[in-house]
Amino acid sequence: MTPDALANERAAAAKALQEADEIAVSCHIKPDGDALGSAVGFVRAAVAAGKSVTLSFGEPFELPDYFSLLSLDQLVRPEDFPAAPEVMITFDAADRSRLGSLAEASAAARTLIVVDHHVTNDGFGDINLIDGTASASALLTFDLIRALGWPIDPEGALGLLMGIVTDTGRFQYSNTDARTFRVAAELVEAGAHPERIGQMVYENAPFGFLAVAAAVQNRTVLEADISLVWSELLSSDLAAAGIEAVEAEGLIDHIRVAREADVAILLTETAEGTKASLRSRATVDVGALASTFGGGGHARAAGFTFEGPAAVVIERVREYLRDR
Ligand code: 5GP
Ligand code: MN
């Protein structure tokens, strides 16, 4: 989207939101810090502006513990979300299917506003604020709130800063630009405390996580000929350690440190099949690789869920990497 087109969409979104009495707010399923952090940042501002707000996300209705840091007063179960909202706004969802069980509500919404930073997003809203150059959806959310002239309180600022911190890997990924630091600075000025995010998101695992991480690391395979490092997180690892799947997120960051590989993949055994997290250092566009499995994401970070075993996934990945 060109800057002019984006500015037009932002103005249209601001108008629709100003005129609405009730706003339904959502983000992608299995929310990460950017998805729910952006949503909470927006919700705080909308509530302060006098709007009646409902926040939810599609099944499964469960969250990693670190989200207890955020103010979630408006959060309701997906079945209690309006079936046909007057105005609905989604954060960080690259396509309608990423809304899971709220996809139908988004299709029935009178006005759907999509705020996202995935380059693959083709604009499934009536109004689309999509900017693939933004390091986090939280940056676009910040710009929208400013365009509305709504206040950003410390709780809202904390949500938006969580989005930036998590989607930039603590300000270290290639998407971390000057604009990212400028918005982060404004959020700290608005009252967000970075150390609360650091401690809650990155230093807050149950003890059993260490055993799960050890099992996953021990199972890691390096395929140097195709510059791939990968591992599996098994349901039995979680059962043995007595922890839930949501408490074992982020293990891809343990795998990707191997400098011998450009591509790092963690395959997680789930009820639906295999969930894949993909990262790349420099060369392979893992978003394109994920899209061959019906998933997506960014060039350096992507994901998908495959209805089949890990062995099938990894064999198809090998073929893809060999043929490129
Ligand atoms: P993660 O590995 O942290 O779950 O996801 C990394 C990136 O890939 C995120 O930007 C996320 O939006 C994207 N992603 C993860 N899973 C999926 C998926 O199933 N479909 C799509 N389209 N994107 C995904
Ligand atoms: Mn994001």
Side-chain angles (χ1 to χ4, degrees):
M1 228 174 205
T2 65
D4 277 354
L6 191 61
N8 285 340
E9 294 292 292
R10 195 184 298 115
K15 183 165 180 291
L17 292 163
Q18 299 279 18
E19 288 171 359
D21 296 321
E22 292 171 20
I23 304 172
V25 182
S26 178
C27 63
H28 65 71
I29 51 168
K30 299 186 177 164
D32 60 11
D34 190 33
L36 196 59
S38 295
V40 167
F42 177 83
V43 164
R44 293 290 301 186
V47 168
K51 304 296 178 182
S52 166
V53 180
T54 311
L55 167 66
S56 193
F57 55 88
E59 311 280 358
F61 190 66
E62 57 189 24
L63 289 172
D65 188 52
Y66 62 78
F67 282 118
S68 60
L69 189 62
L70 298 184
S71 134
L72 297 173
D73 296 346
Q74 280 69 32
L75 184 64
V76 300
R77 301 186 62 87
E79 56 268 31
D80 298 324
F81 195 79
E86 176 192 351
V87 174
M88 176 167 168
I89 184 165
T90 72
F91 294 93
D92 208 41
D95 60 61
R96 201 187 293 279
S97 73
R98 294 279 288 155
L99 297 174
S101 60
L102 295 186
E104 267 181 57
S106 80
R110 182 128 52 88
T111 304
L112 176 67
I113 303 170
V114 169
V115 179
D116 185 35
H117 70 136
H118 291 90
V119 281
T120 54
N121 194 319
D122 57 10
F124 61 98
D126 303 303
I127 303 172
N128 299 289
L129 274 70
I130 297 163
D131 179 0
T133 71
S135 56
S137 293
L139 296 193
L140 307 175
T141 310
F142 176 86
D143 289 344
L144 176 61
I145 297 169
R146 279 287 149 93
L148 282 156
W150 291 354
I152 297 182
D153 73 351
E155 299 296 328
L158 188 69
L160 296 177
L161 188 62
M162 180 189 282
I164 294 173
V165 169
T166 54
D167 259 33
T168 61
R170 299 181 249 185
F171 301 99
Q172 69 172 14
Y173 299 155
S174 57
N175 60 4
T176 311
D177 55 6
R179 173 185 178 191
T180 304
F181 284 107
R182 272 195 284 272
V183 175
E186 294 212 37
L187 294 172
V188 173
E189 269 170 359
H193 289 285
E195 81 280 8
R196 294 184 64 198
I197 297 168
Q199 286 170 1
M200 200 64 173
V201 180
Y202 298 104
E203 295 165 4
N204 182 39
F207 181 67
F209 173 83
L210 297 177
V212 172
V216 169
Q217 285 181 215
N218 277 329
R219 209 175 280 132
T220 306
V221 179
L222 174 65
E223 304 196 21
D225 56 326
I226 49 173
S227 202
L228 171 69
V229 63
W230 67 278
S231 188
E232 261 183 282
L233 168 54
L234 304 177
S235 310
S236 56
D237 297 335
L238 299 171
I243 71 169
E244 301 290 326
V246 288
E247 293 172 316
E249 280 177 8
L251 278 170
I252 182 64
D253 293 329
H254 295 228
I255 305 303
R256 71 187 307 183
V257 298
R259 68 175 173 214
E260 290 85 351
D262 181 48
V263 177
I265 300 182
L266 178 66
L267 301 174
T268 302
E269 194 182 26
T270 71
E272 299 86 51
T274 303
K275 179 188 174 297
S277 280
L278 297 80
R279 302 291 185 266
S280 105
R281 285 174 185 273
T283 311
V284 175
D285 179 345
V286 287
L289 171 51
S291 69
T292 69
F293 287 90
H298 311 277
R300 306 273 83 84
F304 61 84
T305 297
F306 177 75
E307 287 179 21
V312 175
V313 173
I314 211 68
E315 192 43 44
R316 273 179 57 181
V317 167
R318 284 190 192 109
E319 281 166 27
Y320 182 96
L321 293 176
R322 274 193 211 110
D323 293 347
R324 56 180 288 282

